[in-house]
Amino acid sequence: MSETENQGAISIAPYRYALAVEYNGSAYRGWQKQSDDDVPSLQSEVERALSRVANHPVQVVCAGRTDAGVHATWQIIHFDSCVERDLRAWVLGTNTYLPDDISIQWARSVTHEFHARFSARARRYRYLIYSSPVKPALLSRGVTWTHKSFDLESMQRAAESLVGEHDFTSYRAVGCQAKSPVRTIQSLEVTQRGRLIMIDVRANAFLHHMVRNIAGVLMKIGSGEASIGWAREVLEARDRRMGGVTAPPFGLYFVDVDYPDLFDLPVSPLGPYFLSGAD
């Protein structure tokens, strides 16, 4: 069943809720529910828990599907329900049925005009790189470790060539199913806090592996293995084979979704939580 058909199937329910989900994606094959029930997915876990609170089957729609091993601090979902529950029940009740690596952060009652995916105006990811001669034991699946050192100025200058509306064919996975490779990057910044390097990117939407491919190119430039101009050369080639290595998923976090003010949803604190207070 397609997402559009799925929406039509459940839209008769009178109540619609929006929720924020935080998760560690290390143990899952990505957000999307798989045809094989034995394959762990985040969507399946969330739907199973919500269905127990609702006491009827629940199907959810997310703002942006994340790949296997990718994390989120602000994944937004919506679902329709035949029953009205206190918002605390949707949060606390659902969390009692979720594994420790998934947590509902808040719930809001919304109109049927709200759609987690189609109402979104922008999405934001953060990619975290731990640069150290020795691998970390803590957060070993929460950051991407490298023994290499990076020139952040070179990375930032290269990143600037990717800002704006472009054809990102070279920066998407070969198997990406998006109809168009054109996306608009609104901001792309590279910063450092101690040994932690953060690539922060905001765009209207993302292609499959787009952020990880950008991170891979910028890391190669930062380490001195490629010139600053290589990021633009890859972009203009419109050929994934020119794009180098896809960076690992471990350091990638989905941290924000921008919606029109009329929906009055909470503002993201821009995680992950161990960066709180650093902005």
Side-chain angles (χ1 to χ4, degrees), residues 18-40:
L19 287 73
V21 190
E22 178 180 280
Y23 52 82
N24 181 329
S26 301
Y28 303 93
R29 289 286 295 275
W31 169 266
Q32 189 174 4
K33 183 163 53 179
Q34 306 293 311
S35 56
D36 184 349
D37 291 338
D38 292 331
V39 176

Side-chain angles (χ1 to χ4, degrees), residues 39-268:
V39 176
S41 75
L42 291 146
Q43 181 181 0
S44 294
E45 293 289 349
V46 171
E47 288 183 346
R48 187 178 299 115
L50 285 169
S51 296
R52 295 188 69 174
V53 176
N55 200 29
H56 68 74
V58 167
Q59 295 174 296
V60 305
V61 177
C62 71
R65 298 170 183 169
T66 53
D67 295 335
V70 175
H71 319 298
T73 61
W74 207 256
Q75 171 71 272
I76 304 301
I77 64 172
H78 84 258
F79 68 93
D80 292 344
S81 177
C82 298
V83 298
E84 186 176 19
R85 296 274 189 264
D86 182 87
L87 297 179
R88 284 175 53 85
W90 289 122
V91 177
L92 302 181
T94 304
N95 281 341
T96 63
Y97 298 117
L98 285 170
D100 291 342
D101 50 8
I102 308 174
S103 175
I104 304 300
Q105 298 297 295
W106 52 258
R108 294 290 186 274
S109 178
V110 293
T111 66
H112 280 73
E113 284 70 34
F114 175 81
H115 192 285
R117 177 184 174 192
F118 297 128
S119 297
R121 299 183 296 192
R123 298 156 178 85
R124 188 169 179 174
Y125 282 87
R126 285 178 162 180
Y127 193 85
L128 304 181
I129 306 160
Y130 184 75
S131 175
S132 172
V134 179
K135 69 177 183 178
L138 302 178
L139 293 176
S140 60
R141 289 295 182 267
V143 296
T144 289
W145 168 68
T146 177
H147 66 276
K148 299 176 182 178
S149 298
F150 294 101
D151 180 342
L152 263 67
E153 183 178 352
S154 296
M155 294 174 72
Q156 182 61 56
R157 288 174 59 191
E160 290 167 2
S161 66
L162 303 179
V163 176
E165 182 181 280
H166 301 289
D167 180 329
F168 283 97
T169 296
S170 296
Y171 286 94
R172 71 170 174 171
V174 173
C176 179
Q177 298 179 355
K179 293 180 180 179
S180 171
V182 177
R183 295 291 185 270
T184 301
I185 290 184
Q186 299 166 351
S187 64
L188 179 50
E189 299 181 352
V190 183
T191 56
Q192 185 166 10
R193 299 162 186 174
R195 292 180 173 176
L196 196 64
I197 296 169
M198 180 171 69
I199 300 172
D200 190 322
V201 55
R202 186 178 190 269
N204 63 332
F206 290 89
L207 300 163
H208 190 202
H209 286 176
M210 181 173 163
V211 179
R212 290 169 58 191
N213 289 335
I214 288 173
V217 166
L218 294 182
M219 289 170 70
K220 191 169 183 178
I221 291 171
S223 66
E225 299 172 64
S227 67
I228 292 172
W230 187 54
R232 179 174 289 279
E233 292 171 9
V234 170
L235 179 70
E236 294 176 347
R238 298 182 183 179
D239 184 345
R240 176 61 202 140
R241 293 172 296 180
M242 297 291 293
V245 177
T246 301
F250 314 121
L252 186 56
Y253 294 80
F254 187 22
V255 300
D256 194 17
V257 190
D258 178 45
Y259 293 106
D261 293 341
L262 65 93
F263 296 119
D264 194 29
L265 296 182
V267 177
S268 170

